[in-house]
Amino acid sequence: ESKQRIDFILVYEDESKSASEKKGSVMRRKVSQKTSRPLPLLSDEDVIAKEPEFFTAPFRKDQLKCFFVKDKEQFFTPAMRSRMAYYILSRAPYEVRGNVKKFGFNKLLDGGVYKAAYPLHDCRFNVKSKEPSCPNERFLLFNEWAHPKSFYKMQPLDLIRKYFGEKIGIYFAWLGFYTVMLTLAAAVGLCCFIYGYTTRESSTWSKEVCDPQIGGEIIMCPQCDKICPYWRLNSTCESSKRLCIFDNYGTLVFAIFMSVWVTLFLEFWKRYQAKLEHDWDTVEFLQQEEQPRPEYEAKCIYERVNPVTQETEKVPYTACGKCMRVSCGIGTVLFWVLLIIASVVGVIVYRLAMFITFSSNLHSHLNNRKELEPFKEYVTPQMATSITASFISLIIIMILNNVYEKVAILITDFELPRTKTEYENSLTLKMFLFQFVNYYSSCFYIAFFKGKVVGYPGEPVYWLGTFRNEECDPGGCLTELTTQLSIIMTGKAIWNNIQEVLLPWLKNLMFRHCTQVSSEKVIPRWEQDYQLQPMGKLGLFYEYLEMVIQFGFVTLFVASFPLAPLLALFNNLCEIRVDAWKYTTQSRRAVPEKAQDIGAWQPILQGVAILAVATNAAIIAFTSDMIPRLVYYWAFSISPYSGGSEHTMAGYINSSLSVFNISHFSEMKRPNEEITPYWFNNITTCRYRDFRHPPGHPNQYDFSIYYWHVIAAKLAFMIVLEHIVYFTKFILSYMIPDVPEALKEQIKRERYLTQVILHETNIQHFKELMKPIADNLQSEIEEPELDLKV
């Protein structure tokens, strides 16, 4: 096995050398050297030299004289050589059986003929090579990028691109840009949180809930049948204060700010991406013909006429067959999405069942144990149910992720996309759809469904005819949504870091221990790299997916959790260095690939940004209590609905609670006498959160005029806010061009000069070819003239 592996690596290097004489992607003509002033956050130019700037053009061997060739052996970079060698090896035939032609080293790898195939790292990451021919780029990347001591430095993107290729380089460029933009969002979110924290004691509704003369005199109805007792409103004093931290007017400002921020982020990223495309010579990458995948070519058995070239070509399926493959793929995706929704329903049923259990046992358990008595005010049945359900949701999410990954790969392989770009885009859309439903479904349930259709104490709504639909926490559903988001975001970040740091390190350590040979003092480079973790076929897919899911948490539900950008910022600061450390020290060197942009993730980010406006507006309108407070302040706190003549928030708590006559409880719903509190004497009514007519009214327990005012205000607020924000986003998108004007002119200038150079070269070459013919013609013309003169 070792001999086969060494021979294969040698063939890999030999093929790359021969390919460098035949093919190429870019030839260069030197123009200038970049110069800039050193910055404290940049690496020293004596350590990492600036890359020279070139005019570029597609490589043609017959135009070799047009281009700047300082050293023929170093003309093609190692990344280009590796890419050429990969192209040759992935299509090299090795067996023909009748009409079946087998080719490509990927097939040999799957069959176990070869153990692995990978480009070699240039040196050890922690020891500088003493060989003059070794560039030590891996050593530089570790010291100046991946090492913890360099956490404050900006990323050496040109060196990353040079060593790993444009695809990995543009990922780290995007991640760094996203992290920088998060600093502004995190600062504003932190200010919003501080504002809510400092004003939680002074808010009128919080004071009324905690006041013994107001909240202490309000008796609330049971929140479940028979086993739930009556309770005083001031028992939720701490929950009310926690709600004020996140449910305040600063949250509204922050939600609008984040809607504008996400637009600025996407627009400025397009501009920065355009600059990278120009600097990294990928402006015309998509205009070049992308080669089909070897897996696609191996199954081409049908013939068709190419609509572009009008030539006959081989395809792996007919039009009907392609339609069947796509239909089967869509059906399978929908089935698994429904399975995710079924798991969410299972968690909801758990919440309903556990709420009844906690309601009957939690308070008695806390009262019987003196050491837990201080937590009595903070731990409510709703909060305990929400926390345990959040952890269960997190576990289910992590388990289902592994299943959906394999399902998405199988579906995409069955569809058989033609090119690698098409393959990655198709897989990206499927995986994001799975992850979107998996991660966000529980948050959508809490934000928009929980506590919305619960009826009233005399006629509650039941799930499956058995479980009473759960109500929001006394502090409001916004608190539960915040709890859900914080647990899922934190748990996901911790689990991902364990996977990215601890697991590769342990696997490499165990592999080195099992394969070490004591007789060899010096381990060859290919053996050292073989002991590292393979990159995998999907490469950067999981890195992008992790960050895009985080982007969704930061934007979709930020109205309920203003600290989400701050948590994301801390995670990304670690993520950049963890990924750098992993790629530099723990993984085999990836085959360098060209990429013009972040691919299918760009429209996904734009879709999330558009959806975020609607979700945040809906959270503020339907999940928080901001709109009911504003309706009370502007409409119901003055005459004719109240005796006051000035707008005030005093009395809001009393106006937001409806009255229920306890004699209207049926025997199946009436609380048991043994759990009735001692202070519940001669009380005939209880209160509940809703806007309904009181008992004795001609339309008792029907929705009141207050309810319809609130619904109209919520809908009006959501529509107006969405239109204002969408209009602002449109104006910003129009005002900020995707490509800077100066860069457009520079690209046009370089194209013009490149065409002039190539045109002049063609003319010069044509003159050289025609010179002997012209000389012969000239001599034939001159000879008759000489004879005539004689």
Side-chain angles (χ1 to χ4, degrees):
E1 292 177 356
S2 177
K3 183 66 166 61
Q4 287 180 348
R5 189 165 61 251
I6 293 173
D7 291 343
F8 182 67
I9 295 299
L10 291 177
V11 171
Y12 194 104
E13 294 178 347
D14 291 341
E15 290 287 351
S16 68
K17 291 178 182 178
S18 61
S20 67
E21 299 174 359
K22 299 177 181 179
K23 293 186 177 182
S25 59
V26 175
M27 280 299 234
R28 303 175 171 182
R29 184 176 183 89
K30 189 171 183 181
V31 176
S32 62
Q33 185 77 16
K34 293 182 180 179
T35 58
S36 60
R37 291 179 297 177
L39 297 175
L41 301 181
L42 295 177
S43 300
D44 192 349
E45 292 189 10
D46 295 335
V47 178
I48 300 179
K50 288 287 185 179
E51 289 292 319
E53 187 176 338
F54 298 95
F55 289 164
T56 61
F59 170 65
R60 290 178 56 184
K61 191 173 182 180
D62 57 350
Q63 301 287 350
L64 190 60
K65 295 180 180 180
C66 303
F67 302 103
F68 176 74
V69 183
K70 185 177 180 181
D71 184 355
K72 189 174 181 180
E73 296 298 326
Q74 300 294 328
F75 179 72
F76 288 102
T77 64
M80 292 180 182
R81 291 173 178 266
S82 297
R83 190 160 59 245
M84 297 175 205
Y86 177 83
Y87 176 84
I88 293 173
L89 292 175
S90 63
R91 289 162 175 79
Y94 61 87
E95 185 179 3
V96 177
R97 291 184 179 179
N99 295 328
V100 180
K101 181 180 179 181
K102 297 183 179 181
F103 62 90
F105 71 104
N106 288 324
K107 189 71 174 178
L108 297 175
L109 288 172
D110 295 338
V113 178
Y114 293 115
K115 302 295 291 183
Y118 47 87
L120 299 180
H121 284 293
D122 56 13
C123 62
R124 297 181 63 182
F125 68 88
N126 55 354
V127 179
K128 188 174 183 178
S129 176
K130 298 180 180 179
E131 298 180 10
S133 60
C134 182
N136 288 293
E137 291 175 352
R138 187 188 186 194
F139 175 77
L140 290 177
L141 285 172
F142 175 73
N143 275 349
E144 301 295 323
W145 180 44
H147 200 281
K149 70 178 183 181
S150 302
F151 75 95
Y152 63 92
K153 292 184 178 181
M154 297 182 68
Q155 301 183 90
L157 295 177
D158 288 334
L159 184 59
I160 297 171
R161 170 247 183 173
K162 182 180 178 182
Y163 190 78
F164 290 110
E166 287 80 3
K167 194 168 188 177
I168 293 180
I170 203 167
Y171 161 72
F172 281 103
W174 176 82
L175 181 57
F177 184 84
Y178 173 45
T179 304
V180 171
M181 290 292 292
L182 274 176
T183 55
L184 178 60
V188 178
L190 181 61
C191 293
C192 178
F193 174 79
I194 294 174
Y195 169 78
Y197 185 81
T198 55
T199 59
R200 74 189 190 284
E201 300 285 351
S202 60
S203 62
T204 304
W205 49 89
S206 178
K207 288 180 179 180
E208 290 186 349
V209 170
C210 298
D211 190 345
Q213 302 300 322
I214 301 177
E217 297 297 328
I218 297 177
I219 309 302
M220 302 297 293
C221 297
Q223 292 186 310
C224 64
D225 297 337
K226 298 188 74 66
I227 62 175
C228 291
Y230 299 98
W231 50 284
R232 296 182 185 272
L233 182 61
N234 66 346
S235 64
T236 63
C237 178
E238 295 300 324
S239 298
S240 177
K241 291 180 180 179
R242 287 197 303 269
L243 176 64
C244 293
I245 296 176
F246 301 103
D247 191 2
N248 54 68
Y249 299 118
T251 304
L252 172 61
V253 176
F254 184 60
I256 297 175
F257 166 80
M258 286 300 296
S259 299
V260 176
W261 173 88
V262 72
T263 302
L264 294 176
F265 164 67
L266 293 175
E267 294 302 321
F268 284 129
W269 163 247
K270 291 177 184 177
R271 293 170 64 88
Y272 184 56
Q273 184 174 255
K275 183 178 180 301
L276 290 178
E277 291 176 11
H278 172 260
D279 292 343
W280 291 355
D281 308 323
T282 59
V283 175
E284 299 180 353
F285 171 65
L286 293 181
Q287 298 177 6
Q288 302 171 8
E289 177 67 21
E290 186 176 4
Q291 299 296 329
R293 297 167 56 236
E295 295 84 355
Y296 178 91
E297 293 179 335
K299 296 183 180 181
C300 290
I301 57 176
Y302 301 99
E303 291 186 352
R304 72 156 190 173
V305 178
N306 189 301
V308 178
T309 62
Q310 295 297 314
E311 296 180 357
T312 303
E313 64 177 4
K314 294 278 189 178
V315 293
Y317 38 64
T318 61
C320 181
K322 183 178 181 180
C323 182
M324 290 295 297
R325 288 173 180 267
V326 174
S327 300
C328 292
I330 294 175
T332 308
V333 169
L334 292 177
F335 169 78
W336 284 95
V337 168
L338 292 176
L339 186 62
I340 301 174
I341 296 176
S343 68
V344 176
V345 173
V347 174
I348 294 173
V349 173
Y350 163 84
R351 297 172 69 101
L352 300 178
M354 292 306 298
F355 174 73
I356 297 175
T357 304
F358 284 132
S359 298
S360 60
N361 300 325
L362 184 61
H363 284 293
S364 60
H365 184 69
L366 293 175
N367 291 331
N368 294 334
R369 301 191 62 175
K370 294 183 178 180
E371 63 274 15
L372 298 178
E373 190 170 353
F375 300 97
K376 182 179 178 180
E377 296 182 358
Y378 301 94
V379 181
T380 62
Q382 292 89 347
M383 183 60 66
T385 302
S386 179
I387 292 176
T388 55
S390 298
F391 278 108
I392 292 176
S393 298
L394 177 63
I395 295 172
I396 293 176
I397 287 170
M398 296 304 175
I399 294 174
L400 291 180
N401 279 346
N402 296 325
V403 178
Y404 299 144
E405 172 192 332
K406 295 178 175 58
V407 171
I409 293 174
L410 288 174
I411 297 173
T412 309
D413 289 340
F414 177 74
E415 291 178 355
L416 201 62
R418 180 177 181 272
T419 63
K420 188 172 183 180
T421 300
E422 294 176 0
Y423 181 90
E424 292 179 350
N425 291 344
S426 177
L427 180 62
T428 297
L429 292 175
K430 293 181 182 63
M431 278 296 293
F432 179 76
L433 180 61
F434 287 149
Q435 298 282 12
F436 184 91
V437 179
N438 197 20
Y439 275 105
Y440 303 142
S441 54
S442 59
C443 296
F444 274 99
Y445 165 72
I446 295 175
F448 306 122
F449 297 99
K450 182 180 178 181
K452 301 301 184 290
V453 185
V454 295
Y456 61 96
E459 293 292 336
V461 177
Y462 291 90
W463 268 64
L464 306 177
T466 304
F467 299 103
R468 179 171 170 175
N469 199 2
E470 63 177 333
E471 301 179 22
C472 290
D473 185 87
C477 280
L478 197 68
T479 306
E480 295 185 53
L481 180 59
T482 303
T483 303
Q484 180 88 354
L485 285 171
S486 58
I487 289 177
I488 292 180
M489 280 193 68
T490 306
K492 178 177 177 294
I494 294 174
W495 176 250
N496 287 335
N497 286 327
I498 291 175
Q499 283 187 315
E500 293 184 3
V501 178
L502 189 59
L503 291 182
W505 181 77
L506 288 176
K507 288 181 179 179
N508 290 339
L509 185 65
M510 294 174 61
F511 192 83
R512 285 194 297 267
H513 178 74
C514 296
T515 59
Q516 65 180 358
V517 181
S518 58
S519 60
E520 293 185 7
K521 294 183 179 180
V522 179
I523 302 177
R525 164 57 43 206
W526 51 82
E527 291 288 349
Q528 295 180 34
D529 288 359
Y530 181 64
Q531 295 173 356
L532 301 177
Q533 291 298 304
M535 280 292 298
K537 294 182 179 180
L538 299 181
L540 292 169
F541 174 80
Y542 300 106
E543 309 295 344
Y544 275 117
L545 182 62
E546 177 186 353
M547 289 295 102
V548 172
I549 293 296
Q550 181 205 88
F551 180 81
F553 281 120
V554 169
T555 55
L556 291 175
F557 307 100
V558 74
S560 65
F561 191 35
L563 290 180
L566 185 63
L567 293 179
L569 176 62
F570 288 149
N571 177 75
N572 289 5
L573 290 174
C574 298
E575 183 74 19
I576 291 175
R577 305 303 166 178
V578 166
D579 287 346
W581 174 81
K582 180 177 65 175
Y583 281 107
T584 308
T585 66
Q586 303 300 310
S587 300
R588 297 171 187 167
R589 190 173 181 178
V591 177
E593 297 181 52
K594 296 202 73 170
Q596 188 179 28
D597 48 34
I598 60 176
W601 299 109
Q602 185 81 21
I604 288 176
L605 291 174
Q606 293 175 344
V608 171
I610 294 173
L611 181 62
V613 177
T615 56
N616 284 294
I619 287 173
I620 295 173
F622 295 98
T623 308
S624 74
D625 288 336
M626 187 175 299
I627 302 303
R629 293 170 191 164
L630 292 175
V631 171
Y632 175 80
Y633 180 82
W634 291 107
F636 288 87
S637 64
I638 59 174
S639 180
Y641 297 101
S642 67
S645 59
E646 295 183 358
H647 298 285
T648 178
M649 285 302 299
Y652 166 72
I653 292 299
N654 184 66
S655 69
S656 64
L657 299 175
S658 298
V659 181
F660 180 77
N661 192 329
I662 62 176
S663 63
H664 295 168
F665 274 125
S666 64
E667 290 299 325
M668 297 300 296
K669 300 179 180 63
R670 189 184 304 275
N672 296 327
E673 293 184 359
E674 57 270 17
I675 64 171
T676 301
Y678 68 91
W679 41 261
F680 192 80
N681 295 319
N682 300 323
I683 297 177
T684 59
T685 61
C686 61
R687 310 293 292 273
Y688 59 98
R689 287 174 58 92
D690 212 337
F691 304 104
R692 295 177 182 267
H693 291 298
H697 191 277
N699 298 318
Q700 66 176 6
Y701 304 134
D702 288 341
F703 291 117
S704 64
I705 189 66
Y706 196 167
Y707 172 82
W708 298 111
H709 273 75
V710 170
I711 290 296
K714 287 181 176 181
L715 294 176
F717 170 83
M718 185 172 176
I719 294 172
V720 171
L721 181 63
E722 282 186 351
H723 281 70
I724 292 175
V725 174
Y726 281 135
F727 180 75
T728 304
K729 290 166 67 70
F730 171 77
I731 293 297
L732 289 174
S733 301
Y734 179 78
M735 293 177 60
I736 303 175
D738 294 346
V739 181
E741 290 298 327
L743 183 57
K744 287 182 180 179
E745 294 176 358
Q746 186 176 356
I747 293 174
K748 291 179 181 178
R749 172 67 177 168
E750 293 185 3
R751 287 178 178 173
Y752 168 74
L753 291 178
T754 302
Q755 291 175 359
V756 169
I757 293 170
L758 294 177
H759 180 66
E760 291 178 351
T761 304
N762 289 333
I763 293 176
Q764 184 64 30
H765 182 63
F766 180 75
K767 288 181 179 180
E768 292 177 357
L769 293 176
M770 296 297 297
K771 187 175 181 181
I773 301 175
D775 293 341
N776 292 335
L777 291 175
Q778 184 67 25
S779 62
E780 292 178 359
I781 293 173
E782 291 177 352
E783 285 178 359
E785 293 180 355
L786 292 175
D787 295 340
L788 183 61
K789 290 179 180 179
V790 172

